[in-house]
Amino acid sequence: MEEPPKNFSIKKFLKSFLREIIVPIVLALVVIQYVIQAFQIPSGSMEDTLHTGDFLLGLKFTYGSPIPFTNRHFPGYAEPKPGDVVIFRYPGEPEYPDNNPARYTHLFNALMFGNYYWDHEPEKGKPHLVHYADGPKDYIKRCVAVSGDTVAVHQGRLSINGKEQTELPGRGKLTMSFRSHSPRDERESFVIPSVGDTLFVDSLSLEKLWWLRSIVLQENPDSRVNLELALWKDGVEANNYIFEDFNLPVETDRGMLLQALSGLRSKTDSRPVWGDTVTGSVNFEFFRRNAGIGFIPVPIPPEAQGSMSRLVSYVGFEGSLLRDLEGNVAMLNAPAVTVDSTVADSVASDSAAAESAFMEPSTQPRFEIRRRLLVDGKPIDRYVVQTPLFFMMGDNRDNSADSRYWGFVTLRNIRAKAFVIYFSFENDDQAFSLGNPFTWWRIPFRIRWSRIGKIISLID
């Protein structure tokens, strides 16, 4: 005998909906917020420890889970230590669009779709909703040194507290046969600041001042931090001065400046490669403008903009370019000598006369770079470090944009400790395409089955 159909009960439906749908979603959001972070390896900077196409899970609670709707974290049970593989927020990008927390309010992170912000002062005809799809980016590197450590790099070899690290961690590699004097390969000895240390603006090189700017910005995310540069020539401000023969090493971090150089010339007879020096002309305004905001907005074609939201994207300005600027100004100020005209002919024909020729300094202009570091529009002459700092490097020492270029990562920017590889997919040749069903047969053959489940700290 069939049972009579049960009457629909809204109470039972809501209870079932809550149990089967809402509770799992809430639990998943809690786990994502406080416990784990998923991360995909986008480049080869950690090879061969981690490969492009590895998918990782990071543990957030190790270093402290974020407190919702604030810029603070719950206390973690540890801090990053040398050897840890760490996921962190890249310090070279703005956390808010245009680096303007007063104008923009962060609404939410839509996970795979990026961050959304509310623009309180949109341009006429522009939407209030702003989509920051590709940022702020998360990076993954290995912590190699912490506050109080002394760091140096020579020919790509790292030294910590005076001891050269002869073995690379994990399955790292150092393969370049040609070495140059780029930040990747040469870093003079310096001490990583500790909590309570006072850093003075006037005592720092331009590049280290850029590192200080990054620390201030990371530790004060709701403030506007700007570095103002001005070029003075013989006591007169000359911000539109053009360096006619600006010397620049060809390195991976110089792409932005290489594009800005006009009349590009190589100091070698062949096509320039990494480590070669090229020359060209560039306006000082390039450095002044980009150092002032710290990033360059990427133009978004109108057809890519939506009607409901505005898309933004940025490229970070590398502080190592300021070392090139400072070096070129020093060359302009280097004393030049001229040969006395009465002995010019004999100098040309007699080496002995060359030794005794009377030399006198030539008249040349004097250049000076003046700088100010401003927090919320007010200049500061010193800054006290508030949080522990960490020096990060990729295991692939030849091909890693890391702390050698953009300085320290503060504890606040640390997101998670990399824990386990939960999936790995090899597609460097792009032979597989999700949009092309005819390539789907490749999926089983592209999965790196042997990497799934590997604990990252045990990879060696």
Side-chain angles (χ1 to χ4, degrees), residues 69-145:
F69 311 111
T70 73
N71 286 312
R72 294 179 293 173
H73 288 73
F74 290 110
Y77 67 81
E79 291 181 358
K81 62 182 184 298
D84 286 356
V85 178
V86 180
I87 300 169
F88 56 92
R89 176 170 286 167
Y90 170 52
E93 280 184 313
E95 189 163 336
Y96 292 84
D98 305 329
N99 193 26
N100 191 344
R103 174 177 170 179
Y104 298 91
T105 297
H106 184 245
L107 298 179
F108 57 89
N109 182 354
L111 300 180
M112 294 179 63
F113 300 99
N115 288 272
Y116 284 86
Y117 297 78
W118 187 260
D119 185 356
H120 298 281
E121 303 172 5
E123 297 179 8
K124 187 177 180 180
K126 298 292 181 67
H128 283 275
L129 190 62
V130 176
H131 185 199
Y132 192 179
D134 59 353
K137 295 183 182 70
D138 286 340
Y139 272 25
I140 184 167
K141 307 288 180 187
R142 191 180 296 272
C143 175
V144 298

Side-chain angles (χ1 to χ4, degrees), residues 400-437:
S400 174
D402 50 38
S403 288
R404 292 173 290 181
Y405 294 91
W406 34 254
F408 309 115
V409 178
T410 70
L411 184 60
R412 185 194 163 273
N413 272 42
I414 300 296
R415 302 294 294 273
K417 180 178 181 179
F419 173 54
V420 66
I421 300 173
Y422 69 88
F423 187 69
S424 185
F425 193 79
E426 193 281 315
N427 196 33
D428 291 342
D429 58 3
Q430 301 298 310
F432 165 77
S433 173
L434 188 62
N436 182 1

Side-chain angles (χ1 to χ4, degrees), residues 353-419:
E355 294 180 2
S356 61
F358 174 76
M359 310 292 286
E360 62 180 11
S362 62
T363 302
Q364 62 183 36
R366 182 73 182 174
F367 293 87
E368 176 190 4
I369 299 177
R370 300 183 184 179
R371 60 272 192 80
R372 293 198 311 166
L373 188 61
L374 298 96
V375 179
D376 292 327
K378 299 179 180 179
I380 62 172
D381 62 356
R382 67 194 68 191
Y383 184 76
V384 179
V385 178
Q386 303 172 18
T387 59
L389 305 179
F390 307 93
F391 198 82
M392 307 291 187
M393 291 179 68
D395 286 359
N396 183 358
R397 296 293 164 82
D398 295 322
N399 186 26
S400 174
D402 50 38
S403 288
R404 292 173 290 181
Y405 294 91
W406 34 254
F408 309 115
V409 178
T410 70
L411 184 60
R412 185 194 163 273
N413 272 42
I414 300 296
R415 302 294 294 273
K417 180 178 181 179
F419 173 54

